[in-house]
Amino acid sequence: MRINCPYCGTRDHAEFAYGGDASLKRPDLADQDMERWYDYVYLRDNPRGPHQEFWHHIYGCRQVLVVERDTLTHEISSVKPAREMIEPADRRRQEP
């Protein structure tokens, strides 16, 4: 499988580390509901077909990417920097 990194170009997937499901929405940090956090941290579906995943380019630019990949065929339909996927509320938390 080859991943087209937006910064480094097309590279073998061996340069990347799988980072998990990118379709999950993290609960708000102030959320005290332990069941919601348990579901977010430990429970995963095993999707069949198109799926968004985090991939970390560990032997390249070291950026975290969101890759949309078909889990049956490994065909990749899009690759975006994860920072473009951050919601406005999360961006405010990162600003000093």
Side-chain angles (χ1 to χ4, degrees), residues 4-75:
N4 188 13
C5 174
Y7 304 104
C8 305
T10 304
R11 305 280 197 233
D12 190 85
H13 79 284
E15 290 190 12
F16 298 81
Y18 176 74
D21 187 345
S23 65
L24 297 175
K25 296 292 181 201
R26 184 185 66 205
D28 188 90
L29 294 177
D31 190 342
Q32 300 281 323
D33 185 339
M34 289 297 117
E35 189 156 330
R36 195 171 3 258
W37 278 102
Y38 179 85
D39 289 350
Y40 173 73
V41 173
Y42 295 109
L43 299 181
R44 295 290 181 269
D45 292 331
N46 189 13
R48 182 178 183 161
H51 187 62
Q52 287 189 326
E53 305 168 328
F54 288 116
W55 286 80
H56 182 200
H57 197 179
I58 55 175
Y59 294 115
C61 59
R62 305 193 59 77
Q63 295 294 309
V64 176
L65 308 172
V66 175
V67 175
E68 185 165 331
R69 177 178 70 93
D70 189 310
T71 58
L72 289 174
T73 64
H74 299 296
E75 181 181 347

